[in-house]
Amino acid sequence: AESHAVAQDLNTAEGSYWHGIIHRMEPDSSNAAYWFRRVGQHAIFSPLLSRAVEILNDGGPKHWHPKNVWDPLLFIDWCDEAREKGDQAGKAAVEIQRAEWQLLFDWCAHEGR
């Protein structure tokens, strides 16, 4: 896909992050995990964790418990589960992904000035 080619050529944490998102959506979880490991810690993780906690407290799966820091590999597992089960898991995963995309987009737009 064209988005994959663009992300492949971005040799930054953000490029790796977008690349991980693309593979998580395919789904290609092991490849997504590889790219998220390349991201390392990212500035959006703290606000993303806060937003994810809000989403989960507002009706997410009761067994989804985030760690004290955002863990993109755990989120891959949640997305895999959401694809299988739908329901609360699917709704929560979509909402968390939407928050993640917006935070990352805003970060890229701000940092690119």
Side-chain angles (χ1 to χ4, degrees):
E2 189 174 332
S3 60
H4 184 268
V6 170
Q8 182 83 28
D9 292 336
L10 296 174
N11 295 318
T12 63
E14 290 73 31
S16 293
Y17 204 132
W18 288 116
H19 202 149
I21 288 172
I22 292 164
H23 284 296
R24 188 179 63 209
M25 292 172 59
E26 285 177 336
D28 182 349
S29 298
S30 62
N31 208 350
Y34 168 83
W35 288 100
F36 281 115
R37 282 187 199 96
R38 290 183 55 128
V39 171
Q41 292 300 309
H42 197 280
I44 73 161
F45 283 0
S46 181
L48 179 55
L49 176 63
S50 296
R51 185 66 186 113
V53 167
E54 291 173 9
I55 291 166
L56 294 173
N57 287 340
D58 193 34
K62 299 297 182 209
H63 64 282
W64 283 12
H65 301 287
K67 298 178 181 178
N68 291 332
V69 294
W70 181 250
D71 182 348
L73 304 183
L74 177 60
F75 189 51
I76 292 170
D77 293 342
W78 290 355
C79 289
D80 288 343
E81 178 186 330
R83 267 188 285 284
E84 292 176 20
K85 294 186 177 179
D87 305 353
Q88 287 179 305
K91 183 176 182 274
V94 167
E95 288 184 43
I96 294 169
Q97 286 179 93
R98 187 175 295 125
E100 177 186 45
W101 298 338
Q102 190 63 59
L103 286 164
L104 186 57
F105 181 83
D106 290 348
W107 173 263
C108 290
H110 173 72
E111 291 300 306
R113 287 187 202 163

